[in-house]
Amino acid sequence: GVYSITVVQFYGLDYIDNGQLKQARDENQKLLLGKNNRYLLFLKKNESLTGYWIGTAHPYKFLLADGKAKAESPVGDLNGAFPDKPQNDFIAQVESLIAGNP
């Protein structure tokens, strides 16, 4: 199914991680989600802030556009480890892994 989540994005601000005040690492615009874009996000519960989720290991954000899934985390595609892939193939692969079928 399709789910909606409220997104709080840090953009050059301080934030709390495991109870410690930290400074956002990057003010790069590409860290932000684009309005009206579709993404596949790999998230985990934020242990510091109940009800909030954070990105998992990079790349945790994939832009779904023009029939492709494109790694768009701050580290991009990890120097070619995650090249653009047909969107439907990528989603099917993720669904298969979630179902326990590697």
Side-chain angles (χ1 to χ4, degrees), residues 65-80:
D66 302 320
K68 300 278 186 190
K70 177 182 175 71
E72 206 182 62
S73 292
V75 295
D77 70 354
L78 292 175
N79 296 320

Side-chain angles (χ1 to χ4, degrees), residues 3 5-6 8 10 15 19 23 28 31 41 49 52 64 67 70 75 79 93 98 102:
Y3 299 93
I5 61 172
T6 300
V8 177
F10 296 107
Y15 65 100
Q23 195 171 29
N28 190 331
L31 296 177
L41 303 172
L49 298 169
Y52 287 86
L64 305 178
K70 177 182 175 71
V75 295
N79 296 320
Q93 182 180 15
I98 290 170

Side-chain angles (χ1 to χ4, degrees), residues 31-58:
L31 296 177
L32 304 177
L33 298 177
K35 187 174 182 179
N36 298 321
N37 286 344
R38 292 183 63 223
Y39 295 93
L40 192 146
L41 303 172
F42 294 95
L43 304 174
K44 64 181 178 179
K45 288 183 182 181
N46 184 324
E47 300 300 326
S48 300
L49 298 169
T50 304
Y52 287 86
W53 296 75
I54 58 175
T56 59
H58 294 289

